[in-house]
Amino acid sequence: MAHAVRALWPGGRALTWRLGGRPALGLPAQSRAGLTGAAGGPGPAATTRKGCPRLLGAAALALGGALGLYHTARWHLRAQNLRADLSAAQLSLSSRLQLTLYQYKTCPFCSKVRAFLDFHALPYQVVEVNPVRRAEIKFSSYRKVPILLAQEGDSLQQLNDSSVIISALKTYLVSGQPLEDIITYYPPMKAVNDQGKEVTEFCNKYWLMLDEKEAQWMYGGKEARTEEMKWRQWADDWLVHLISPNVYRTPTEALASFDYIVKEGNFGTVEGAMAKYMGAAAMYLISKRLKSRHHLQDDVREDLYEAANKWVAAVGKDRPFMGGQKPNLADLAVYGVLRVMEGLEAFDDLMRHTHIQPWYLRVEKAIAEAPQ
């Protein structure tokens, strides 16, 4: 069977090797002259005729096996070299970027971006934004987090929206296109949401802008690409909306959640004290409105459990991740959203009452073992 191995080099140039399997062995036809005995008996020539095919067959088998082993070893060696070349190419691309992430640590959208950056071993600086004054992002007309500033040589680009950040950076790593060009593929668009409020949406934000060969190399087929996009959107449109109703489900949980938020966030002393108690009370009440808006069950834990088990069923039993042997962008998105609940009662209940823990721990390990 022929194998195709493809590597992407800096600048987006694609090279493809076709490595053939074991070649067919063509043996010259044997001359019948001198192999025919005298009439009336087999003679020595007939004896030779019986023995030669066996010897030739054994020789052919041995030679074919040796060539097969040679080509197998050669293919594995080239595959290893190609993987090393690809890693070196991506490392070269990532080393050109200086990244600064403006975030709230407990924000699920920001956690998604950190999961992506950590898994891809992209170094970045973090600026924790004060959620009251937001002075750290006064330079931006876009007032939500996460915001990522990417310095590439003399070019400084601002990337907004967690899914746009992830799609743009992954496109950059795979294709090698200039980041300033990639950003133009995700234009902002003003829209009005269900509450009549004007919001900014981004076109194409779940798409990676790859050519056909790059997409084939990354996904192997259209089904895998469609699946990844579907579940990335599910994480944004559904899963993330289950976090607040669950972590602010009761007054006790709301207070514990804001105690965690204050400790991890960028608050002043007075701001922190006010946020802990006033914020907890406010979010407890708001969570009830969110429950009604998203048509959640009386016990919102049940919605969280159902979502987790739905995700586990989608991954299935035959692969460790939705991405196969390693997490894809959907794995990282779902993990990033759920991670913000770590240390809270909702997270402990989720691990205890669903089947998601083995998958969650595998993603956690994959991120921890990413080369730094």
Side-chain angles (χ1 to χ4, degrees):
M1 179 182 296
H3 300 277
V5 181
R6 183 172 184 272
L8 295 178
W9 296 80
R13 184 163 57 92
L15 301 179
T16 303
W17 284 265
R18 296 200 60 82
L19 307 178
R22 185 168 58 195
L25 296 176
L27 297 176
Q30 297 291 333
S31 171
R32 302 182 66 88
L35 296 179
T36 307
T47 304
T48 304
R49 185 169 59 213
K50 290 181 180 178
C52 281
R54 293 181 182 178
L55 291 174
L56 290 173
L61 182 63
L63 180 59
L67 286 171
L69 290 173
Y70 165 75
H71 281 283
T72 299
R74 184 183 179 193
W75 185 90
H76 281 295
L77 181 60
R78 285 196 177 185
Q80 291 176 354
N81 289 339
L82 291 176
R83 284 193 293 269
D85 290 338
L86 178 59
S87 298
Q90 291 192 346
L91 181 62
S92 175
L93 288 171
S94 64
S95 66
R96 300 178 194 173
L97 293 179
Q98 296 180 15
L99 304 176
T100 304
L101 176 64
Y102 293 80
Q103 67 156 20
Y104 305 145
K105 185 174 182 180
T106 55
C107 162
F109 296 106
C110 300
S111 181
K112 278 172 46 186
V113 174
R114 292 198 311 274
F116 171 85
L117 295 174
D118 292 339
F119 178 71
H120 291 84
L122 293 170
Y124 60 99
Q125 294 182 329
V126 171
V127 176
E128 192 68 23
V129 176
N130 182 293
V132 178
R133 290 176 279 119
R134 292 187 290 180
E136 294 80 6
I137 56 173
K138 64 182 180 181
F139 63 85
S140 174
S141 59
Y142 182 82
R143 302 299 291 168
K144 296 181 179 181
V145 292
I147 293 172
L148 187 77
L149 294 186
Q151 181 85 40
E152 184 183 18
D154 295 331
S155 175
L156 178 63
Q157 304 298 325
Q158 177 176 330
L159 288 76
N160 305 321
D161 184 273
S162 62
S163 293
V164 171
I165 292 170
I166 290 168
S167 293
L169 287 180
K170 187 65 176 180
T171 297
Y172 174 81
L173 291 175
V174 174
S175 71
Q177 302 173 60
L179 194 57
E180 61 182 324
D181 292 344
I182 294 172
I183 294 174
T184 64
Y185 304 147
Y186 305 98
M189 178 180 66
K190 295 294 183 181
V192 177
N193 63 15
D194 295 338
Q195 290 74 48
K197 182 180 178 181
E198 186 177 80
V199 295
T200 301
E201 296 290 347
F202 292 86
C203 301
N204 311 317
K205 64 181 180 179
Y206 300 109
W207 272 95
L208 302 190
M209 300 304 173
L210 308 174
D211 64 28
E212 185 176 348
K213 290 182 179 179
E214 290 163 350
Q216 180 66 26
W217 173 83
M218 181 170 174
Y219 293 108
K222 293 181 179 179
E223 295 81 5
R225 187 177 197 174
T226 301
E227 181 183 52
E228 180 185 76
M229 292 171 60
K230 170 188 172 181
W231 288 97
R232 288 180 68 194
Q233 185 170 359
W234 175 82
D236 285 354
D237 291 348
W238 178 246
L239 185 62
V240 76
H241 296 298
L242 301 179
I243 304 300
S244 291
N246 273 278
V247 300
Y248 304 123
R249 185 180 61 154
T250 66
T252 300
E253 287 183 90
L255 190 60
S257 297
F258 259 87
D259 183 57
Y260 170 68
I261 289 171
V262 169
K263 287 180 180 177
E264 297 293 336
N266 178 15
F267 290 91
T269 304
V270 176
E271 286 176 338
M274 292 179 64
K276 179 177 178 179
Y277 296 100
M278 296 179 64
M283 287 307 301
Y284 169 71
L285 297 175
I286 291 173
S287 70
K288 305 305 176 186
R289 291 168 51 191
L290 294 174
K291 173 182 171 181
S292 175
R293 179 188 303 172
H294 298 292
H295 308 290
L296 304 183
Q297 300 178 52
D298 290 336
D299 183 358
V300 293
R301 281 289 197 276
E302 294 302 320
D303 294 285
L304 184 63
Y305 298 160
E306 288 179 9
N309 286 330
K310 182 177 181 180
W311 166 255
V312 172
V315 173
K317 298 180 180 180
D318 298 329
R319 52 184 180 176
F321 308 102
M322 182 166 281
Q325 295 305 308
K326 62 181 181 179
N328 67 7
L329 300 184
D331 288 292
L332 296 174
V334 173
Y335 172 83
V337 169
L338 296 178
R339 180 172 59 176
V340 297
M341 296 191 297
E342 284 190 12
L344 300 176
E345 183 179 336
F347 183 82
D348 295 337
D349 287 346
L350 178 67
M351 295 295 114
R352 188 181 304 116
H353 296 294
T354 72
H355 304 295
I356 203 168
Q357 187 174 37
W359 167 86
Y360 187 90
L361 293 177
R362 286 195 295 269
V363 180
E364 185 176 63
K365 182 179 179 182
I367 293 175
E369 293 178 348
Q372 300 299 319

